[in-house]
């Protein structure tokens, strides 16, 4: 039950894009048509679901203050959290690299549609943001962390696909010249974010 | 030297990792004392805010030492744990983290404001996303709330995160923990609603789950001090 | 010593015609969420400037030695190390601000400006131009942040740097702080307005399609 709760909350209430502006760079750059947006959204969800639980385990069994206690009592005061950022980003970069190689090897078709986005994902703030929020929110176990990763990814996917759909229709609109392109995209993002805020009253 | 050879790449990566690790570990060691001091000052500010004293960080320590007269741990029966008295940052009351472990005892801080004794207790609970905590200051009668202060780890900005605002915290002034001889604590209700059998304050609109978390925290965390407060209350 | 024209362009370009945020669309991610008050916005701007400038210098110094295969990883490690340093220093000397910035300090690592400049500039240029490029881009990013923070704090809380600037008189006359400004979407809307003004003045930046 708790996991479903977390998934719904991370999709609607604390949406990565609309509540925290994470992953905005690729959100703005790759939301020109629905198909590519969907591809990137799936890739982001995929990498989030892989990296976040991995980072969760690293955080809780190696980095956190006292996390090394399973090695023996004398390690209970070891605090390696100063390295957490470094390790998280290294994990994300290597998982992305790994996923890219695996997909290329086993499914060239998927690689052609997804592969071009994978290098972009290593520096997508939503991925690192997910891991940092995980660290801050101290999830009780791996499955909640995974649920959070899945929800955040789907929330991001929903946002970018919605945006792309609106932008496809926008091609026919008469927008003031200085606002064309980037400006109007920002305004739409803001309006979508206001729309998403109405979910914040949800009580599950 | 061939830049693309495997050996070069591996040696390069290892050297880089070692340099970075040493540099970070060194900075962390150098700055650690200051960071711990900052954390302590932050905690003092929270305690002082619950006493309606909003002081800047550089004045917090002096004010804390002037206001807090005594601090100790109590066990659930309300009796003071032996040898736990002391107001300094290394004494058990200040060091205790009730969110993690309250088996050693529950911290109580005694403050003196304008000649009157106030009791400050810590609270810990869970909000929408993670930990929420706070301090509650109660008059010497063990029932009237003098002030409250709340903090959170990562609630939604503008919604749940509003529990730290003075608008929310100030509502607690003058509420009562006891009603008709019963420990009822203070309830947090949806803005506009009311409850008849307990004192209550308005929650945060849009921050329903966080408000509920605060409500739970007031019942459970404060509830652990029930016996302690009842003794003060009955002594009236 | 007068700066040559090229150096000037490296330093000033990002502040205006080549602004990383409103022209190149980089680095919006990690920072808009910290602009609800002016103070964290300023600290964030300074932190990003420092990190970009020094990461640029380090990568530029190392550029002849980095194996091409692990280029991205090396850049990320340098960036992450610098960011951790900044965050440690903030924790020690500006604890309050660090608390407000929370995870967003860490997110400087994935700020696209940082990786973008390392990849596009530092790998091909000497340390001094790289340093200036970093300063320029950091500031170009910073002023947007500060402008957004200024309007959000002024209209949302009626204060600047935490000091009340809108006189009580106006509140008595019925003025109210606009709570909407404190919420996330307004940051994006303000950036949209900045883009609008900027592009009306620089017509060559206007786009043809939506």
């Amino acid at each position: 039950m708790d996991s479903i709760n977390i998934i719904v909350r991370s999709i609607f209430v604390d949406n990565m894009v609309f509540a925290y502006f994470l992953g905005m760079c690729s959100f703005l750059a790759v939301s020109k048509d629905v198909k590519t947006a969907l591809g990137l959204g799936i890739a982001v969800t995929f990498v989030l679901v892989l990296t976040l639980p991995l980072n969760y385990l690293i955080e809780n069994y190696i980095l956190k203050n006292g996390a090394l206690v399973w090695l023996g009592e004398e390690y209970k005061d070891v605090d390696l959290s100063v390295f957490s950022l470094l390790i998280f980003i290294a994990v994300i970069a290597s998982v992305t690299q790994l996923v890219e190689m695996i997909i290329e090897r086993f499914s060239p078709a998927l690689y052609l549609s997804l592969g071009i986005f994978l290098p972009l994902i290593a520096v997508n703030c939503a991925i690192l943001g997910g891991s940092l929020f995980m660290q801050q929110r101290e999830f009780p176990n791996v499955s909640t962390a995974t649920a959070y990763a899945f929800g955040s990814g789907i929330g991001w996917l929903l946002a970018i696909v919605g945006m792309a759909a609106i932008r496809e229709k926008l091609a026919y609109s008469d927008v003031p010249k200085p606002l064309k392109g980037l400006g109007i995209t920002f305004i739409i993002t803001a309006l979508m974010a206001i729309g998403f805020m109405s979910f914040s009253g949800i009580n599950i | 030297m061939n830049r693309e050879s495997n050996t070069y790449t591996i040696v390069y990566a290892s050297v880089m990792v070692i340099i970075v690790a040493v540099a970070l570990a060194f900075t962390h060691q150098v700055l650690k004392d200051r960071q711990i001091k900052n954390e302590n000052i932050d905690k003092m500010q929270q305690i002082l805010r619950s006493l309606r004293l909003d002081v800047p960080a550089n004045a917090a320590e002096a004010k804390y030492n002037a206001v807090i007269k005594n601090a100790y741990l109590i066990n659930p029966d309300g009796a003071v744990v032996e040898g736990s008295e002391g107001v300094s940052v290394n004494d058990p009351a200040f060091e205790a983290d009730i969110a993690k472990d309250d088996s050693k005892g529950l911290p109580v801080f005694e403050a003196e404001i304008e000649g009157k004794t106030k009791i400050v207790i810590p609270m810990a609970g869970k909000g929408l996303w993670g930990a929420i905590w706070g301090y509650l200051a109660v008059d010497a009668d063990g029932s009237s709330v003098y002030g409250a202060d709340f903090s959170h780890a990562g609630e939604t900005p503008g919604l749940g995160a509003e529990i730290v605002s003075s608008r929310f915290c100030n509502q607690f002034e003058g509420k009562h923990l006891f009603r008709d001889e019963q420990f009822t604590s203070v309830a947090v209700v949806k803005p506009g609603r009311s409850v008849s059998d307990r004192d209550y304050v308005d929650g945060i609109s849009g921050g329903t789950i966080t408000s509920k978390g605060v409500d739970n925290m007031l019942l459970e965390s404060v509830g652990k001090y029930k016996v302690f407060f009842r003794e003060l209350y009955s002594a009236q | 010593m007068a700066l040559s024209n090229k150096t000037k362009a490296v330093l000033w370009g990002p502040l205006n015609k080549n602004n990383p945020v409103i022209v190149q669309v980089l680095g919006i991610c990690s920072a808009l969420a910290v602009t609800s008050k002016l103070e964290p916005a300023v600290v964030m701007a300074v932190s990003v400037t420092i990190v970009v400038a020094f990461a640029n210098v380090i990568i530029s110094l190392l550029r002849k030695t980095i194996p091409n295969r692990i280029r991205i990883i090396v850049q990320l490690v340098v960036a992450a190390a610098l960011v951790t340093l900044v965050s440690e220093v903030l924790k020690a000397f500006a604890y309050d601000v660090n608390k407000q910035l929370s995870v967003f300090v860490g997110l400087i690592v994935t700020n696209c400006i940082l990786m973008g400049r390392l990849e596009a500039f530092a790998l091909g240029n000497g340390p001094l131009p790289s340093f200036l490029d970093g300063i320029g881009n950091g500031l170009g990013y910073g002023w947007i942040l500060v402008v957004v923070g200024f309007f959000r704090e002024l209209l949302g809380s009626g204060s600047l740097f935490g000091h009340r600037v809108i006189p009580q008189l106006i509140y008595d006359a019925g003025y109210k702080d606009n709570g909407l400004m404190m919420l996330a979407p307004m940051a994006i809307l303000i950036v949209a307005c900045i883009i609008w003004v900027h592009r009306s003045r620089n017509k060559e930046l206007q786009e043809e399609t939506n």
Side-chain angles (χ1 to χ4, degrees), chain C residues 166-188:
Chain C
I166 295 182
Q168 190 59 37
L169 203 70
I170 299 180
Y171 285 101
D172 293 339
Y175 174 82
K176 275 207 169 93
D177 286 330
N178 184 352
L180 192 61
M181 293 306 279
M182 301 304 288
L183 298 171
M186 295 315 283
I188 308 190

Side-chain angles (χ1 to χ4, degrees), chain B residues 24-107:
Chain B
L24 288 187
F26 176 74
T27 343
H28 184 64
Q29 281 307 325
V30 171
L31 295 176
K32 205 161 123 196
D33 290 340
R34 267 199 92 95
Q35 292 175 359
I36 292 175
K37 204 173 152 223
N38 278 331
E39 275 166 35
N40 287 338
I41 286 180
D42 188 47
K43 194 166 173 180
M44 288 174 183
Q45 280 182 299
Q46 291 172 23
I47 294 177
L48 290 174
R49 271 203 303 270
S50 77
L51 289 161
R52 296 195 222 158
L53 296 166
D54 200 355
V55 286
N58 51 19
E61 202 165 357
K63 190 79 188 167
Y64 177 85
N65 289 333
V67 167
I68 303 293
K69 296 294 174 205
N70 196 4
Y72 44 81
L73 299 176
I74 59 163
N75 56 33
D77 316 324
V80 177
V81 175
E82 242 175 86
S84 67
E85 284 106 337
V87 292
S88 97
V89 293
N90 298 320
D91 282 321
F94 195 87
E95 269 199 332
D97 182 357
I98 53 160
K100 290 204 179 99
D101 175 26
D102 57 7
S103 60
K104 287 195 192 106
L106 305 160

Side-chain angles (χ1 to χ4, degrees), chain B residues 141-144 175-185 199 225-234:
Chain B
D141 67 1
S143 176
S144 325
K175 304 289 175 196
H176 294 92
L177 297 179
F178 285 90
R179 161 99 50 115
D180 302 332
E181 301 293 311
Q182 286 300 313
F183 175 82
T184 55
S185 196
D199 280 10
Y225 291 84
K226 200 157 47 177
V227 184
F228 175 74
F229 281 136
R230 177 170 292 282
E231 275 171 17
L232 290 172
Y233 185 59
S234 314

Side-chain angles (χ1 to χ4, degrees), chain A residues 18 21-22 25 28 82 85-86 123 125 129 132-133 136 170 173 175 177-178 180-182 186-187 189-190 193-194 197, chain C residues 22 27-29 33 80 83-84 102 107 110 112 115 183-185 188-189 191-192 195-196 199 206-210:
Chain A
F18 297 134
F21 313 103
L22 295 182
C25 310
L28 292 171
V82 62
L85 190 61
L86 207 60
V123 287
C125 332
L132 290 174
F133 277 126
Q136 188 194 45
L170 212 61
S173 316
V175 178
K177 270 210 145 172
K180 267 185 190 262
L182 193 59
F186 267 91
I187 292 179
T189 315
I194 293 175
M197 281 180 54
Chain C
I22 57 177
I28 298 140
C29 350
V83 171
T84 314
S102 72
L107 284 172
T110 49
C112 327
M115 293 305 288
L183 298 171
I188 308 190
L189 219 53
V191 175
I195 293 176
W196 195 347
R199 293 204 174 170
Q206 292 175 6
E207 293 170 57
E208 283 308 311
T209 55
N210 283 322

Side-chain angles (χ1 to χ4, degrees), chain A residues 9 14 86 136-137 200 203, chain B residues 20 128-129 153 156 159 206 212:
Chain A
R9 264 160 31 190
D14 273 16
L86 207 60
Q136 188 194 45
R137 287 170 181 167
S200 64
N203 191 359
Chain B
V20 166
L128 171 63
W129 286 114
T156 317
L159 301 172
K212 229 179 215 163

